C-alpha cells in the first residue's frame, strides 16, 4: 500500500506523463488524430484528412507531419453534408512565424510565402483532392478556409522531411518516471528498515 507521502509524487508523475500527449494535440492546430481517423476541424465542421506519398511510402497514410520530401497527395473529405454548398479555399504557406503561430506581417506577404493555392470553390461531391511536390524539407502551415456566414479558417502547422527528435516533454516525463521510481524504492527500503 502506498504511503500518503508518496501520493504527491505519484500525482506529479501522472501529470508529467500526460503533458507530452496534451502538447501533441495542440501542436497541429486544426488537424488531429482521433480514434485512428485524421480530422481537420474548421469552426463547427470537420473533414477527414488523408495524406500519402505514393512514390516514397506507396499507400501508407500520414496525419500531420509529412515524412519525406517529394510528391504528396492529399484528400479532404467532408464529414458534414452542410459543407457541400460552401466555398472552400486551400492554401499552403511557408511557416515564417514561431511554432506555427502567424508572423505579424503574414497577411501582407501572403502571396510571397504561398507555395500552393486553390482558390475558393464549391465541391458538391464533398471531396477535395490535390497534390504538391515538396522539393525541400521544412516547416509549413496549411490554411483551409470555408466561407459560411463568415470565413472559418483552420490553421495547422506541419513539417516535411524533418527527422523526429525526442520531445522535450517526453524527456521530462522519462526523468519524472525515473525519479518517481527512485523515491518509491528508497522510501520502501526506509520503511522496511524501520520495521525490522
Amino acid at each position: 500500500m502506498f504511503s500518503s507521502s508518496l501520493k504527491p509524487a505519484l500525482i506529479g508523475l501522472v501529470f508529467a506523463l500526460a503533458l507530452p500527449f496534451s502538447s501533441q494535440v495542440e501542436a497541429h492546430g486544426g488537424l488531429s488524430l482521433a480514434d485512428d481517423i485524421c480530422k481537420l476541424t474548421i469552426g463547427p465542421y470537420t473533414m477527414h484528412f488523408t495524406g500519402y506519398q505514393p512514390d516514397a511510402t506507396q499507400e501508407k497514410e500520414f496525419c500531420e507531419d509529412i515524412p519525406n520530401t517529394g510528391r504528396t497527395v492529399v484528400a479532404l473529405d467532408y464529414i458534414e453534408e452542410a459543407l457541400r454548398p460552401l466555398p472552400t479555399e486551400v492554401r499552403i504557406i511557408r511557416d515564417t512565424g514561431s511554432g506555427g503561430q502567424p508572423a505579424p506581417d503574414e497577411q501582407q506577404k501572403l502571396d510571397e510565402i504561398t507555395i500552393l493555392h486553390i482558390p475558393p470553390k464549391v465541391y458538391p461531391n464533398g471531396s477535395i483532392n490535390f497534390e504538391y511536390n515538396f522539393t525541400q524539407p521544412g516547416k509549413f502551415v496549411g490554411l483551409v478556409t470555408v466561407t459560411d456566414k463568415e470565413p472559418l479558417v483552420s490553421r495547422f502547422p506541419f513539417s516535411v522531411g524533418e527527422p523526429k527528435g525526442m520531445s522535450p516533454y517526453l524527456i521530462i516525463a522519462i526523468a519524472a518516471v525515473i525519479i518517481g521510481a527512485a523515491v518509491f524504492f528508497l522510501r520502501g527500503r526506509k520503511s522496511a528498515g524501520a520495521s525490522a
Side-chain angles (χ1 to χ4, degrees):
M1 183 171 242
F2 297 119
S3 71
S4 60
S5 62
L6 286 178
K7 286 182 181 175
L10 290 174
I11 291 170
L13 180 62
V14 169
F15 280 115
L17 289 173
L19 191 58
F21 299 107
S22 65
S23 68
Q24 286 175 359
V25 169
E26 295 173 7
H28 290 279
L31 196 59
S32 63
L33 185 63
D35 298 329
D36 211 25
I37 297 173
C38 192
K39 291 181 180 175
L40 182 69
T41 302
I42 309 168
Y45 305 113
T46 49
M47 296 181 188
H48 180 201
F49 178 97
T50 307
Y52 60 99
Q53 296 186 297
D55 301 333
T57 56
Q58 298 181 347
E59 296 181 3
K60 183 178 178 185
E61 295 180 9
F62 61 82
C63 180
E64 302 170 340
D65 293 329
I66 301 174
N68 304 299
T69 57
R71 187 165 70 100
T72 303
V73 179
V74 173
L76 299 171
D77 296 308
Y78 298 168
I79 294 177
E80 290 89 6
E81 292 289 321
L83 281 167
R84 292 179 183 242
L86 304 178
T88 300
E89 177 184 13
V90 176
R91 189 182 293 265
I92 297 176
I93 62 174
R94 290 192 307 276
D95 188 356
T96 58
S98 173
Q101 296 300 312
D105 60 345
E106 182 178 283
Q107 282 302 315
Q108 287 80 24
K109 58 181 183 180
L110 193 59
D111 289 338
E112 179 186 332
I113 61 175
T114 296
I115 62 167
L116 171 86
H117 182 221
I118 302 173
K121 181 181 170 185
V122 173
Y123 295 88
N125 65 351
S127 184
I128 304 170
N129 298 296
F130 64 91
E131 68 177 63
Y132 183 77
N133 185 20
F134 289 95
T135 58
Q136 298 288 326
K139 295 191 180 304
F140 301 89
V141 176
L143 301 169
V144 177
T145 304
V146 172
T147 302
D148 196 354
K149 294 173 184 168
E150 59 187 47
L152 303 169
V153 181
S154 181
R155 179 185 183 90
F156 52 96
F158 63 94
S159 66
V160 175
E162 293 196 335
K164 297 284 182 195
M166 187 175 283
S167 163
Y169 295 115
L170 185 57
I171 294 170
I172 292 169
I174 291 170
V177 169
I178 292 169
I179 292 169
V183 168
F184 182 77
F185 177 74
L186 292 174
R187 292 219 182 231
R189 287 186 62 180
K190 194 181 280 185
S191 298
S195 62

